[in-house]
Structures are given as structure tokens and as C-alpha cells.
């Protein structure tokens, strides 16, 4: 009997090994005609290592540069750097949908949100319900809310971070201050009352640090869907953050739950904010809580990154720094600029300011991870046969620095390209390509795009009207880790008051 049991166990083990081996070979063979790094075709280890190193966009750009517009980066994963193909796959009627990679961003493992919904019908349902909030339907106060937070940011800088002969160098860490601004702005737009980071100039409750610490984890989870499925296990769930924990993610969940609870108890109150529009939609209460969290997570880090990097590029490009300030000065002299904060309609008329923003986003896309999509039907991508179920991502850094689109100086920060281009067809292609930063014109266009651009226009105008900027340590201006979204540290800038 012992011998028999041993034989059975051995047979099961051998069968399991053979099954795994056969599955690996089958997976390898179905995409063997598409080039890529050695080893990437056989396991997830290559993409896992690049992700954990915090340089995933750079790694994808290197792969695209070496292997071409379609390359293999995993057993079932490809990356594409052909703009036209990406726009085709991402279009509303293409039939492509999100891959399970997005499930890593499920803060509630059992429920989808606007960021994680894989099925197009589910995504469309959620999107149609949250869109009125982001589009300010029935909300007349959004621009005023942003102006208030711009004023608070300027006040904080004036109070603590302007350097002079009298004060000496008083560096400001853009990694934190701009995130305080976007967190306060988004929470004010979302709940009417801001969190108050700008008031105290610190990350109280360590909420921001906790959210940043989660980024490597959620990005990596997308590479291993089986782990996500395990998170529905009651034992695992008991270990996850819970509303009203003393600090960190649980503290934030508690703040959100409390504010949602109040709205459901007082539905007739009719606050003019995004949360109220969510509550008035056809979303369930649980879905509303999930969407509020996504609003805070997705609507703050991306805009903060855009602000940081645009100020960095301006501070290290004297010609652009000067050209922007010249346009701002002319606008002020015209007497047609609203004070104390420029109106967004006025900022939209400033060609160079808007060119600066486009160029900053192009040079450093705030979202630059895999963003995997897949089709349930066989397709041809960049001339290669791509079997159904294959996940295809994007190399944002490659797309945004495509010399055939943006010119030979595509690797250089040059806002003038947007105002000096005279070929309408070339300019249109530049606009369409740069628009992919927010997935513009696609099924997955960023809902907060309009608000992000409004914040960027107002903040940059008011900052460069008042101050000059220089990186405090030009040799090492900042440290960063990029997991698809960028974590900055020690991004110190020296701010000096402009001569009258």
C-alpha cells in the first residue's frame, strides 16, 4: 500500500511538472514570432525585476528602441510604441478592453472601480455615472475652489520658502508641496472641505506616505492576478487596512466613509461638489466610496507630477523660463487678467503657457506604466499576428519622444515647437500623440483631464508671475522611482522673488 501511494504521489507530481512545462512551452510558442529581451518570453521575472527597480518606463523605452514598435516583455505581454496602432486599439469601437493587469488597483478586491473595470460595458456604466461630477454638471463653484487652493499655495511659499539675501537659501521640496496642493484641491472639489495639508505644511496621519508606499505593491499585483484572487479570502481580508485605523490607508478610508455616510443621511442638502454628483448617480453606496478613493488617488499624484516636472524643465531651460515670463508680463500689462488668480478662460488664450504645459506632460507623462489592453479576437498589430487574449501595453516615453512626430529634438524640452509649427497636418499629429498622456479621444480618456489642465494653467501662471525658480542642487536635482506613476524625493527648488 505504501509503495502504491508513493507511486500515485510521484505520478501526480510528475504530471503537474509536465503540465506546467507544457503550458509554458505553449505560451512561449504562440508569440515566438515577436522579438523581445531574452527570458521575458518564458516568465514574468524580467518585467517583475524592472518594475520593482522603479524604472519601468525607462526599461520599456529601451526595449522599444532595441526591438522595434512591437516587442515581447512577458509570456503573454507585448508593448507597442506605434502611435497610430495605439490609437486604433484604444478607440471606442476597436473591441479591445482592459487586461486583468488593472485589477491590481482594486482597493476593494471584490469590486471594480472606474480604473479597474475590465469589461467595456461595466466601464461605460461606471463612467457615465461619475462623468457629471468631473464635468461639473450643476456645479458653479469649481474654479473658485481651485483659486482658493492656489492662493493657499502662494501663501505658503511666501511665508516659508522665498529665498533672499536676508533669509539665505530656503529650499522648497516640490515633491511634497505640490502634492499637498493637489490633495487639498481635489478634496475640496470632491467634498467641499479640503484636507488641509497646505494649512499645516505636513503629511499628517501619514496618509500621503502610505499611498505612495502602496504604489509598488499595486503595480506588482497586476503582474500576478492569482494573488489578487487570494485577497478575497476572509483571512487575507482581515489583514487589509480598515476604515478608521489610526493612520495611513485605513485613516483615509475612514475619512471617506464618514463623508459618504453624511451625504447619504442628508441627500437633500445638495452640496456643489463631486461627491454629491456621485451620490445622486445610479452607483451603489459601495461604488461611490470606491470612486471617491480613485478620485483622490488618480487625481492628485498625476497633476502633482506634471507640476513638479514642468517647473523642473523650466528652471533648467532659461530660454523657456524667460519666454513664459515675458508672455505672463504682457498679459498683466494688458489689464485683462483677473486678480488675484487668473481666470481659466484667460489662461487658455496664452499660447506659450499652454505650450509649456503640453511639453512638460510630453517630456514626463504622469502615467507611464504598462496600461495593458487585450482583444478577444485575433488581430494584426504593427504587422505581427497577435492571438486573442494577448495583452498589449504602451511605452509612453518612446511614444512621447518619437522623432518622426516631434522632430529631431524630441528628447529636448522645447515648448516653442507647439507655437512655431506651421504644417497643420504635422501639428495635428503632434496634438493627437501628446493627447495620449491622458488617453484623449479613446475609450479610457482621463475623467480629470479638464481639472488637471485648469490647475496647471493657474498655478504655473501665478508662480512664474511672482518668482524665479532654480534647482537647489543642479547636479542632483531629485531622486525618483517610477512604477508607472512617479515618486519624487528631495526635489528641492530655490525660489526668489522677481524684480518688479
Amino acid at each position: 500500500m505504501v509503495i502504491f501511494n508513493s507511486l500515485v504521489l510521484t505520478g501526480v507530481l510528475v504530471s503537474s511538472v509536465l503540465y506546467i512545462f507544457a503550458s509554458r512551452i505553449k505560451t512561449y510558442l504562440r508569440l515566438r514570432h515577436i522579438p523581445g529581451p531574452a527570458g521575458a518570453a518564458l516568465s514574468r521575472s524580467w518585467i517583475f525585476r524592472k518594475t520593482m527597480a522603479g524604472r519601468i518606463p525607462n526599461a520599456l523605452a529601451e526595449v522599444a528602441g532595441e526591438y522595434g514598435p512591437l516587442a515581447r516583455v512577458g509570456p503573454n505581454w507585448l508593448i507597442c510604441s506605434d502611435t497610430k496602432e495605439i490609437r486604433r486599439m484604444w478607440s471606442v469601437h476597436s473591441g479591445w478592453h482592459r487586461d486583468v493587469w488593472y485589477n491590481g488597483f482594486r482597493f476593494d478586491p471584490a469590486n471594480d472601480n472606474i480604473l479597474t473595470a475590465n469589461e467595456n460595458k461595466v466601464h461605460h456604466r461606471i463612467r457615465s455615472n461619475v462623468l457629471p461630477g468631473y464635468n461639473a454638471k450643476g456645479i458653479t463653484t469649481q474654479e473658485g475652489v481651485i483659486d482658493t487652493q492656489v492662493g493657499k499655495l502662494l501663501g505658503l511659499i511666501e511665508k516659508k520658502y522665498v529665498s533672499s539675501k536676508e533669509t539665505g537659501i530656503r529650499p522648497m521640496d516640490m515633491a511634497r508641496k505640490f502634492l499637498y496642493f493637489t490633495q487639498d484641491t481635489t478634496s475640496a472639489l470632491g467634498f467641499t472641505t479640503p484636507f488641509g495639508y497646505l494649512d499645516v505644511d505636513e503629511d499628517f496621519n501619514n496618509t500621503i506616505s502610505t499611498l505612495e508606499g502602496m504604489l509598488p505593491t499595486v503595480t506588482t499585483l497586476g503582474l500576478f492576478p492569482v494573488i489578487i484572487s487570494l485577497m478575497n479570502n476572509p483571512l487575507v481580508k482581515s489583514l487589509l487596512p480598515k476604515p478608521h485605523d489610526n493612520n495611513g490607508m485605513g485613516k483615509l478610508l475612514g475619512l471617506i466613509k464618514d463623508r459618504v455616510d453624511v451625504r447619504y443621511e442628508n441627500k437633500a442638502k445638495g452640496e456643489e461638489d463631486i461627491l454629491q454628483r456621485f451620490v445622486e448617480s445610479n452607483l451603489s453606496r459601495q461604488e461611490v466610496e470606491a470612486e471617491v478613493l480613485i478620485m483622490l488617488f488618480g487625481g492628485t499624484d498625476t497633476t502633482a507630477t506634471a507640476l513638479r516636472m514642468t517647473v523642473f524643465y523650466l528652471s533648467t531651460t532659461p530660454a523657456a523660463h524667460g519666454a513664459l515670463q515675458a508672455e505672463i508680463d504682457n498679459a498683466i500689462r494688458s489689464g485683462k487678467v483677473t486678480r488675484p488668480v487668473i481666470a481659466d478662460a484667460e489662461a487658455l488664450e496664452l499660447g506659450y503657457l499652454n505650450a509649456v504645459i503640453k511639453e512638460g506632460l510630453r517630456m514626463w507623462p504622469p502615467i507611464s506604466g504598462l496600461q495593458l489592453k487585450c482583444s478577444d479576437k485575433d488581430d494584426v498589430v504593427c504587422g505581427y499576428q497577435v492571438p486573442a487574449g494577448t495583452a498589449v501595453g504602451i511605452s509612453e516615453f518612446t511614444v512621447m519622444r518619437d522623432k518622426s512626430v516631434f522632430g529631431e529634438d524630441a528628447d529636448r524640452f522645447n515648448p516653442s515647437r507647439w507655437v512655431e509649427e506651421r504644417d497643420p497636418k504635422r501639428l495635428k499629429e503632434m496634438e493627437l500623440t501628446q493627447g495620449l498622456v491622458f488617453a484623449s479621444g479613446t475609450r479610457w480618456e482621463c475623467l480629470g483631464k479638464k481639472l488637471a489642465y485648469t490647475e496647471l494653467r493657474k498655478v504655473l501662471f501665478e508662480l512664474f508671475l511672482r518668482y524665479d525658480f532654480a534647482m537647489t542642487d543642479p547636479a542632483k536635482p531629485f531622486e525618483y522611482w517610477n512604477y508607472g506613476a512617479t515618486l519624487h524625493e528631495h526635489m528641492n527648488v530655490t525660489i526668489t522673488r522677481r524684480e518688479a
Side-chain angles (χ1 to χ4, degrees):
M1 190 65 179
V2 173
I3 295 174
F4 176 77
N5 288 340
S6 299
L7 288 173
V8 170
L9 180 59
T10 301
V12 169
L13 290 173
V14 171
S15 298
S16 299
V17 170
L18 290 174
Y19 175 78
I20 294 171
F21 179 75
S23 297
R24 289 283 180 89
I25 294 299
K26 182 180 179 181
T27 302
Y28 166 77
L29 291 175
R30 68 193 295 273
L31 296 174
R32 69 186 182 280
H33 55 293
I34 300 175
L42 292 172
S43 78
R44 298 178 174 92
S45 61
W46 184 89
I47 198 75
F48 175 74
R49 285 186 285 108
K50 300 299 181 182
T51 300
M52 293 307 295
R55 293 292 188 274
I56 187 63
N58 312 68
L60 297 180
E62 289 170 7
V63 168
E66 182 173 353
Y67 296 101
L70 191 71
R72 190 175 189 178
V73 293
N76 192 48
W77 302 322
L78 310 176
I79 58 157
C80 180
S81 53
D82 183 290
T83 305
K84 291 184 174 63
E85 287 282 39
I86 292 164
R87 292 206 300 265
R88 177 184 69 82
M89 291 184 288
W90 289 15
S91 67
V92 174
H93 302 294
S94 70
W96 285 68
H97 57 84
R98 283 175 172 157
D99 181 62
V100 293
W101 176 82
Y102 282 89
N103 290 356
F105 296 92
R106 279 183 180 171
F107 295 104
D108 178 351
N111 293 285
D112 272 318
N113 55 62
I114 189 64
L115 183 60
T116 67
N118 300 330
E119 295 181 22
N120 289 338
K121 287 184 178 180
V122 175
H123 176 267
H124 178 74
R125 178 185 66 80
I126 297 174
R127 185 182 180 89
S128 63
N129 276 284
V130 299
L131 194 58
Y134 287 102
N135 282 353
K137 184 177 180 181
I139 303 174
T140 60
T141 57
Q142 279 196 346
E143 187 165 354
V145 169
I146 296 171
D147 290 349
T148 298
Q149 299 311 314
V150 172
K152 285 189 175 184
L153 174 64
L154 294 171
L156 177 62
I157 292 172
E158 192 67 29
K159 180 180 179 181
K160 296 178 66 173
Y161 298 110
V162 177
S163 298
S164 65
K165 290 180 180 179
E166 292 74 26
T167 64
I169 301 298
R170 300 199 296 179
M172 183 183 84
D173 185 3
M174 293 192 291
R176 272 289 175 262
K177 310 314 169 191
F178 286 152
L179 193 51
Y180 293 165
F181 164 75
T182 56
Q183 280 278 342
D184 277 358
T185 301
T186 302
S187 55
L189 291 168
F191 314 126
T192 299
T193 305
F195 285 144
Y197 292 107
L198 290 171
D199 293 330
V200 297
D201 192 20
E202 66 174 290
D203 175 19
F204 55 87
N205 299 323
N206 295 316
T207 303
I208 291 175
S209 298
T210 301
L211 285 171
E212 289 180 332
M214 287 174 58
L215 188 58
T217 302
V218 297
T219 306
T220 305
L221 281 175
L223 304 176
F224 301 96
V226 66
I227 298 178
I228 299 170
S229 64
L230 291 175
M231 292 176 70
N232 284 311
N233 182 285
L235 180 61
V236 177
K237 272 190 172 183
S238 67
L239 302 175
L240 298 176
K242 297 175 183 59
H244 304 110
D245 284 348
N246 291 330
N247 52 41
M249 187 64 182
K251 183 75 172 181
L252 178 61
L253 291 172
L255 288 171
I256 291 171
K257 189 176 186 308
D258 289 344
R259 297 193 183 200
V260 171
D261 287 347
V262 169
R263 292 302 173 85
Y264 274 93
E265 291 167 6
N266 302 281
K267 277 191 176 182
K269 189 175 181 181
E271 294 282 3
E272 283 198 42
D273 57 28
I274 295 174
L275 173 57
Q276 190 63 29
R277 296 299 168 267
F278 288 178
V279 170
E280 293 169 355
S281 73
N282 292 319
L283 295 175
S284 69
R285 190 164 177 163
Q286 193 172 35
E287 286 176 321
V288 168
E289 290 181 10
E291 293 309 318
V292 170
L293 185 57
I294 288 299
M295 175 186 70
L296 292 172
F297 186 77
T300 57
D301 183 79
T302 49
T303 308
T305 296
L307 276 172
R308 296 170 194 145
M309 292 308 298
T310 303
V311 172
F312 163 72
Y313 284 121
L314 285 167
S315 71
T316 55
T317 312
H321 191 291
L324 176 60
Q325 288 182 326
E327 181 179 68
I328 290 171
D329 292 346
N330 286 335
I332 290 293
R333 280 193 290 267
S334 74
K336 298 178 180 178
V337 176
T338 301
R339 301 282 76 215
V341 178
I342 189 171
D344 195 41
E346 298 161 356
L348 274 167
E349 298 299 316
L350 301 179
Y352 199 80
L353 171 64
N354 287 281
V356 162
I357 293 168
K358 288 178 185 176
E359 191 73 349
L361 289 165
R362 182 188 73 83
M363 287 293 291
W364 198 285
I367 299 296
S368 48
L370 287 167
Q371 303 174 68
L372 294 168
K373 312 293 191 298
C374 63
S375 173
D376 295 331
K377 298 179 180 179
D378 294 349
D379 202 344
V380 177
V381 181
C382 298
Y384 289 98
Q385 289 288 333
V386 175
T390 303
V392 182
I394 179 175
S395 172
E396 286 274 6
F397 277 23
T398 306
V399 167
M400 294 301 156
R401 302 190 183 198
D402 187 341
K403 293 181 179 179
S404 70
V405 176
F406 298 105
E408 289 303 311
D409 68 340
D411 289 325
R412 186 167 68 90
F413 179 77
N414 177 22
S416 295
R417 76 177 79 251
W418 298 98
V419 294
E420 294 177 354
E421 181 56 57
R422 294 293 178 260
D423 183 345
K425 290 184 179 178
R426 176 75 173 270
L427 183 59
K428 182 180 179 181
E429 186 62 25
M430 289 167 58
E431 297 272 8
L432 288 171
T433 302
Q434 191 273 347
L436 289 173
V437 166
F438 286 120
S440 299
T442 77
R443 178 183 293 278
W444 300 285
E445 181 168 324
C446 174
L447 288 165
K449 179 179 75 170
K450 178 177 177 289
L451 289 172
Y453 273 116
T454 298
E455 291 172 43
L456 288 166
R457 283 189 286 265
K458 287 175 176 286
V459 171
L460 291 172
F461 182 94
E462 298 302 337
L463 287 180
F464 283 84
L465 168 64
R466 293 166 172 78
Y467 308 114
D468 289 317
F469 293 81
M471 300 311 294
T472 306
D473 183 357
K476 191 177 181 181
F478 56 84
E479 296 179 62
Y480 80 95
W481 295 263
N482 197 325
Y483 302 97
T486 308
L487 304 181
H488 283 108
E489 283 189 3
H490 312 303
M491 199 174 191
N492 291 317
V493 65
T494 300
I495 304 171
T496 53
R497 194 171 285 106
R498 290 182 66 193
E499 296 293 332

